[in-house]
Amino acid sequence: MSNQHETTAQDSAPETFDEIVEAYSDFVYNVAYKMMGNPHDAEEVAQEAFISAFRAFDRFRGESRVTTWLYRITVNAALMRIRREKRARELRWVGIENLEVPSWEEAPEPSAINSELGDKIQEGIAMLQPELRAAVVLRDVAGLSSREAAEALDITVSSLKSRLHRARVLLRQHLAEYAPRR
């Protein structure tokens, strides 16, 4: 994973909105793609995010990093789009207490790591409720620290950890056929 969220000279002091768009358009698109799972929706979310960022630019005081600010705006744009579409398929936190979840402590055989598994993981992330998906994308996919992800989502670290736990259990359930049972 790249560390796109590390502080850079550009990140610490953007001078104009055009410079932000130039420097971070790929960054915003990648966050949008990870949230939405397809290029068309990611393009639209990225556009919505930059429109929102432009409207809020005069209020950006540099108290947080540009990337944290853009994460929050992009995730919010994705969540609003997801809610508008009212996705029919969601993994739900129902009856989970009696579920046998396979362990992922041992790595699967190298031959089992293939595009089919990658597709299954992406499918599972796309089926998560939007708030759980955002937590997984920011923490596990984008590699933000818990503090950074919580800040980007405007929640506490303990709330983030709770969401991550629920999302990871649901993803393990979804991926159970690919993980060995103990």
Side-chain angles (χ1 to χ4, degrees), residues 17 20-21 28 44-60 69-78 80-81 84:
F17 187 74
I20 288 177
V21 173
V28 168
E44 291 188 11
V45 166
Q47 289 175 0
E48 292 169 16
F50 276 122
I51 290 169
S52 295
F54 178 76
R55 290 180 181 148
F57 185 64
D58 63 331
R59 295 185 306 272
F60 179 69
W69 180 66
L70 287 173
Y71 261 120
R72 181 176 293 160
I73 290 170
T74 306
V75 168
N76 285 341
M80 287 190 312
R81 182 172 184 82
R84 276 194 313 263

Side-chain angles (χ1 to χ4, degrees), residues 27-98:
F27 172 80
V28 168
Y29 175 81
N30 287 333
V31 172
Y33 184 81
K34 289 171 186 170
M35 286 293 297
M36 303 308 296
N38 72 69
H40 175 73
D41 287 345
E43 281 288 334
E44 291 188 11
V45 166
Q47 289 175 0
E48 292 169 16
F50 276 122
I51 290 169
S52 295
F54 178 76
R55 290 180 181 148
F57 185 64
D58 63 331
R59 295 185 306 272
F60 179 69
R61 296 180 298 275
E63 293 173 359
S64 64
R65 297 188 321 210
V66 173
T67 50
T68 301
W69 180 66
L70 287 173
Y71 261 120
R72 181 176 293 160
I73 290 170
T74 306
V75 168
N76 285 341
L79 292 174
M80 287 190 312
R81 182 172 184 82
I82 290 166
R83 286 182 191 118
R84 276 194 313 263
E85 293 175 358
K86 295 181 181 177
R87 300 215 189 252
R89 294 174 25 174
E90 289 185 343
L91 293 174
R92 297 268 180 204
W93 185 263
V94 180
I96 208 80
E97 55 279 345
N98 296 324

Side-chain angles (χ1 to χ4, degrees), residues 1-8 27 65 67 71 142-144 148:
M1 269 182 250
S2 67
N3 288 325
Q4 292 178 328
H5 60 275
E6 290 181 2
T7 302
T8 66
F27 172 80
R65 297 188 321 210
T67 50
Y71 261 120
L144 292 179
E148 290 168 327

Side-chain angles (χ1 to χ4, degrees), residues 44-168:
E44 291 188 11
V45 166
Q47 289 175 0
E48 292 169 16
F50 276 122
I51 290 169
S52 295
F54 178 76
R55 290 180 181 148
F57 185 64
D58 63 331
R59 295 185 306 272
F60 179 69
R61 296 180 298 275
E63 293 173 359
S64 64
R65 297 188 321 210
V66 173
T67 50
T68 301
W69 180 66
L70 287 173
Y71 261 120
R72 181 176 293 160
I73 290 170
T74 306
V75 168
N76 285 341
L79 292 174
M80 287 190 312
R81 182 172 184 82
I82 290 166
R83 286 182 191 118
R84 276 194 313 263
E85 293 175 358
K86 295 181 181 177
R87 300 215 189 252
R89 294 174 25 174
E90 289 185 343
L91 293 174
R92 297 268 180 204
W93 185 263
V94 180
I96 208 80
E97 55 279 345
N98 296 324
L99 178 69
E100 181 182 333
V101 179
S103 171
W104 286 6
E105 291 174 4
E106 295 178 17
E109 300 271 300
S111 63
I113 301 176
N114 57 31
S115 63
E116 184 179 339
L117 178 58
D119 291 345
K120 191 76 169 171
I121 291 169
Q122 185 64 31
E123 175 186 283
I125 290 172
M127 292 170 62
L128 290 170
Q129 295 168 343
E131 292 77 14
L132 300 180
R133 182 183 324 162
V136 167
V137 166
L138 293 178
R139 182 70 177 94
D140 294 340
V141 179
L144 292 179
S145 70
S146 293
R147 183 188 54 76
E148 290 168 327
E151 184 179 328
L153 294 172
D154 199 24
I155 60 175
T156 65
V157 171
S158 61
S159 293
L160 174 80
K161 288 180 179 180
S162 175
R163 289 180 186 185
L164 283 172
H165 173 72
R166 290 188 319 218
R168 289 169 179 163

